[in-house]
Amino acid sequence: DAGVTQSPTHLIKTRGQQVTLRCSPISGHKSVSWYQQVLGQGPQFIFQYYEKEERGRGNFPDRFSARQFPNYSSELNVNALLLGDSALYLCASSSPRQADNSPLHFGNGTRLTVT
Amino acid sequence: GESVGLHLPTLSVQEGDNSIINCAYSNSASDYFIWYKQESGKGPQFIIDIRSNMDKRQGQRVTVLLNKTVKHLSLQIAATQPGDSAVYFCAEGRSGNTPLVFGKGTRLSVIA
């Protein structure tokens, strides 16, 4: 079975531009989360979606937005890019049971470089 | 591939020895804990998880220990192999599928 897939794998953008990152979850997983990982640090939570609704948002500016589609795939959008947005953007899916935690399964990420 | 963490704490072990990676978590309300392994150029890979109603859980060659009194988590890897070389992250969460909060990571380097 395919794991979480993300596209593109690498991306170079200029300050002020906008970017859209894409994620397809593991088949059957209805929850998708986005994390930002800056070099040398652990992943930081950006968004969580479940059944197409936003279930959580991390401490990121409004320039960051996301959505989940009926097939449970997801997009992360970042507007007005800053140099500090350069990072590895990770998507993870999970199949949470009611009021319970289940492991996040991560894709290999999109490496975004802002110049 | 790219280096995941350039200035992380590093643990160096001889091949065949046991490894112990430690993690202090911050939120006393956390009741779900998980360990991930991240190799260069890849996303974090799930290793093992544990809930707060347990203090020990074993997997294949790995054991996670949880000490809620001192908010400490450890990952033990038996008979460490070169393929275990990676950055290891602990993460904490709370019931209800709250977002995972990741620690800073430890780089494990296996000496052949």
Side-chain angles (χ1 to χ4, degrees):
Chain A
D1 285 342
V4 176
T5 57
Q6 293 186 243
S7 63
T9 55
H10 294 81
L11 202 52
I12 299 175
K13 289 286 190 178
T14 304
R15 274 182 301 175
Q17 287 188 314
Q18 175 265 342
V19 68
T20 298
L21 311 180
R22 295 176 175 84
C23 171
S24 292
I26 291 171
S27 177
H29 284 189
K30 299 180 179 180
S31 179
V32 169
S33 299
W34 287 94
Y35 284 76
Q36 181 196 66
Q37 187 176 27
V38 174
L39 202 60
Q41 297 183 18
Q44 278 202 301
F45 171 72
I46 311 176
F47 285 109
Q48 181 187 27
Y49 277 79
Y50 179 72
E51 289 281 16
K52 295 166 287 182
E53 292 188 3
E54 182 181 304
R55 290 299 182 92
R57 183 186 182 115
N59 187 23
F60 281 80
D62 291 343
R63 299 185 295 108
F64 289 75
S65 63
R67 54 180 176 168
Q68 187 177 31
F69 299 97
N71 65 354
Y72 303 111
S73 67
S74 178
E75 286 182 352
L76 175 70
N77 296 282
V78 187
N79 293 323
L81 285 166
L82 304 173
L83 295 178
D85 295 330
S86 295
L88 181 67
Y89 288 86
L90 294 162
C91 175
S93 73
S94 63
S95 182
R97 296 177 292 278
Q98 186 178 5
D100 203 355
N101 297 84
S102 59
L104 295 180
H105 298 272
F106 285 88
N108 287 328
T110 294
R111 170 64 64 185
L112 173 65
T113 302
V114 182
T115 62
Chain B
E2 299 174 25
S3 176
V4 170
L6 298 178
H7 304 291
L8 295 171
T10 299
L11 174 66
S12 297
V13 297
Q14 291 285 342
E15 181 180 358
D17 287 352
N18 296 335
S19 302
I20 300 176
I21 302 172
N22 296 304
C23 174
Y25 64 92
S26 56
N27 190 344
S28 56
S30 295
D31 56 10
Y32 178 68
F33 306 89
I34 189 166
W35 281 98
Y36 284 93
K37 171 187 180 183
Q38 189 172 24
E39 297 173 281
S40 290
K42 296 186 178 181
Q45 177 188 358
F46 168 72
I47 302 173
I48 191 168
D49 60 359
I50 188 169
R51 302 184 192 280
S52 60
N53 60 353
M54 303 173 68
D55 54 19
K56 180 179 180 179
R57 191 174 186 208
Q58 290 183 292
Q60 186 177 11
R61 277 201 311 120
V62 295
T63 300
V64 56
L65 298 177
L66 174 63
N67 186 330
K68 296 181 287 294
T69 302
V70 294
K71 292 192 288 187
H72 184 268
L73 194 65
S74 68
L75 177 70
Q76 300 178 359
I77 304 173
T80 312
Q81 302 168 0
D84 295 327
S85 294
V87 177
Y88 289 80
F89 292 98
C90 66
E92 60 184 294
R94 286 178 286 127
S95 295
N97 272 299
T98 58
L100 291 178
V101 176
F102 282 77
K104 294 182 180 178
T106 297
R107 178 183 301 283
L108 176 64
S109 178
V110 181
I111 305 165

